[in-house]
Amino acid sequence: MITVHITDDHKMLTEGLRLLINESTIATVTGVSHSLSECRKVFAFKRPDVLLLDIKLPDGNGIDFCAEIHKKYPELKILALTTHDEYSVVRRMMENGANGYILKNALSEEIITGIESVMKDEVFICEEIDALIKKQKDQAIWLTAREQELLRLIVDGYTNQEMADKLYLGVETVKTYRKNLILKLGAKNSMVLVKMAIENQLI
């Protein structure tokens, strides 16, 4: 069973999420925080598999907190759950260590799928943000030599650890490259990324 912690200051929303997740049979909510300070205190003693994190909180913002918590607990999966639908916010959140991004108006199924996906070490972007990213990307896709190298290995089925070993990079660096490629190409997840790479002859 996947364990989930929710950090959001809207109590009605957190209760609804708790009910949704607990009824999913694939995950259970082990804790709820209504501020970043509360979350820090909980994580000092017990950490979940997945953190559902809002961006606007009473004592700070989830973007900076995402970087902080990702650096401290790199194994933790962070799933942004917010109302912010600006491309710059999405990109900063993902660059700071988030494994996925979901809007609060997303379907219930997307939230559960998002939790499952990040636990499989996949990047998950909800449908609305996926469409936003595709609008932002340039018509001509330009990749650096390193990005092309990473993309080729992803298409060949290498894991993050295998790519890190082959390219003499840290696993977290490889994960960041993968997330940036997904955002740059406007792909929803790694599977779509591979399909786009082949269809657009990017490798």
Side-chain angles (χ1 to χ4, degrees), residues 29-98:
V29 175
T30 54
V32 173
S33 300
H34 300 298
S35 68
L36 299 180
S37 58
E38 282 181 30
C39 187
R40 288 188 187 96
K41 289 177 183 176
V42 172
F43 280 24
F45 299 98
K46 186 177 182 180
R47 285 175 298 282
D49 299 314
V50 178
L51 168 64
L52 285 184
L53 178 63
D54 194 6
I55 288 177
K56 188 178 180 181
L57 288 145
D59 55 347
N61 71 79
I63 298 173
D64 294 338
F65 184 71
C66 184
E68 173 195 326
I69 213 77
H70 175 65
K71 184 177 181 180
K72 197 167 185 179
Y73 311 112
E75 74 285 354
L76 176 70
K77 306 301 181 184
I78 304 171
L79 193 54
L81 183 64
T82 179
T83 57
H84 290 273
D85 58 358
E86 302 89 353
Y87 178 76
S88 59
V89 174
V90 177
R91 187 164 194 110
R92 285 174 61 204
M93 195 70 179
M94 300 302 283
E95 287 176 347
N96 280 3

Side-chain angles (χ1 to χ4, degrees), residues 5-22:
H5 186 95
I6 304 168
T7 299
D8 192 297
D9 63 332
H10 296 91
K11 295 186 178 181
M12 285 182 66
L13 175 69
T14 56
E15 286 308 306
L17 283 171
R18 187 201 292 269
L19 186 62
L20 168 70
I21 294 167
N22 288 345

Side-chain angles (χ1 to χ4, degrees), residues 106-157:
L107 296 173
S108 301
E109 292 81 359
E110 277 195 293
I111 296 172
I112 301 304
T113 301
I115 292 170
E116 288 183 297
S117 297
V118 297
M119 279 304 296
K120 294 175 184 174
D121 211 21
E122 297 174 358
V123 175
F124 184 84
I125 306 291
C126 72
E127 292 287 350
E128 196 170 329
I129 294 300
D130 182 43
L132 173 71
I133 292 169
K134 286 175 180 174
K135 284 182 182 178
Q136 289 288 332
K137 76 184 184 74
D138 296 329
Q139 293 298 316
I141 300 171
W142 181 83
L143 301 177
T144 66
R146 177 63 92 186
E147 286 173 334
Q148 288 178 328
E149 193 174 15
L150 262 293
L151 186 57
R152 192 174 296 111
L153 294 177
I154 291 170
V155 171
D156 288 342

